[in-house]
Structure formats: structure tokens, C-alpha cells
């Protein structure tokens, strides 16, 4: 179960270091084998490979009416492996598709991570707060 936020800088080649708090878990869970893909909200999703393979099977079975969505999820999917320094490379195509720049935020989302351009994520959070609490959370409390 991945959770928490980490501020990370991409290097000039588009590599990012997986935070140490997640690196060991990913090494154990999937031997550092990961899959990156595009999310329509404007971020990159990072999955342990076994988790992605389950999603990939479901997405591949979608009907023709969902072909455009298959292209978003499957077309941008890239298998990567952590190097010995715990870094991964985010392809130029994927970085361009979601607008990743140098400063990114890596957010644990349970079974996977989201990688956001830091400024874009701050903007999305502000929009969500300004929109108010959605009805689906009406009965939610800590």
C-alpha cells in the first residue's frame, strides 16, 4: 500500500529517483520492474509490473467504443526498471504528453503512484478545494 507525497527533481535525461521509503518495497514486490503510463488527468501513473499486468488485461478486453481510451493507457505504457541507484527514466514522449518539467511530485495512491508536474498538481488541488466537497464525500468523516 503506497501512500505519501515526495518532491523530486527530474535530471536532464528525464530520470527520477524513487524515494528510499518506496524503493525497498518496489524491489521486494516486483524486483524493481515497473510500468509507466499516461493518466487522462495529466499525470504519469507508475505501477509495479504485476499490478499493471492485471490492468493491462482488463484494458485490452475493452470494446471498440473505448479504443481512444485504450490508446491513452496502453499506447503510452512503458516498461522500466530501477537502476542500481534507484532511478527510472520517464520517456520524452510521456513527459511531453503530461507536461512534466523538472520539479515533480510523486504521490502514493495505494496500489500505484501518480507523478505530477509540481505546479500542475498544485493548480489541480486548488481547483478541487475551490469546487468544494463532492456529494460522494457527504457522509465521510475522520
Amino acid at each position: 500500500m503506497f501512500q505519501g507525497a515526495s518532491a523530486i527533481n527530474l535530471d536532464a535525461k528525464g530520470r527520477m529517483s524513487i524515494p528510499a521509503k518506496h524503493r525497498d518495497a518496489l524491489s521486494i514486490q516486483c524486483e524493481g520492474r515497473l510500468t509507466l503510463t499516461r493518466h487522462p488527468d495529466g499525470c504519469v501513473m507508475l505501477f509495479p509490473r504485476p499490478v499493471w499486468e492485471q490492468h493491462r488485461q482488463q484494458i485490452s478486453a475493452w470494446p471498440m467504443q473505448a479504443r481512444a481510451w485504450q490508446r491513452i493507457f496502453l499506447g503510452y505504457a512503458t516498461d522500466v526498471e530501477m537502476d542500481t541507484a534507484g532511478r527510472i527514466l520517464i520517456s520524452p514522449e510521456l513527459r511531453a504528453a503530461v507536461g512534466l518539467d523538472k520539479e515533480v511530485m510523486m504521490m502514493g495512491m495505494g496500489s500505484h503512484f501518480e507523478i505530477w508536474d509540481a505546479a500542475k498538481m498544485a493548480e489541480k488541488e486548488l481547483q478541487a478545494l475551490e469546487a468544494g466537497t463532492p456529494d460522494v464525500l457527504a457522509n465521510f468523516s475522520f
Side-chain angles (χ1 to χ4, degrees), residues 43-57:
C43 67
V44 171
M45 294 184 290
L46 183 155
F47 291 92
R49 186 86 41 83
V51 174
W52 169 250
E53 288 172 355
Q54 294 172 5
H55 289 293
R56 185 184 65 213
Q57 288 178 353

Side-chain angles (χ1 to χ4, degrees), residues 79-134:
D79 293 337
V80 298
E81 292 190 24
M82 284 192 298
D83 67 13
T84 55
R87 297 174 303 187
I88 58 167
L89 175 67
I90 302 174
S91 71
E93 296 83 3
L94 194 49
R95 291 191 317 257
V98 300
L100 286 186
D101 200 16
K102 184 175 173 68
E103 295 178 5
V104 301
M105 291 293 293
M106 183 172 162
M107 310 293 291
M109 299 298 291
S111 66
H112 66 283
F113 296 92
E114 292 181 352
I115 302 167
W116 286 88
D117 177 78
K120 184 187 257 184
M121 190 184 107
E123 182 181 315
K124 289 268 190 185
E125 284 182 351
L126 182 60
Q127 289 171 357
L129 292 171
E130 288 174 348
T133 307

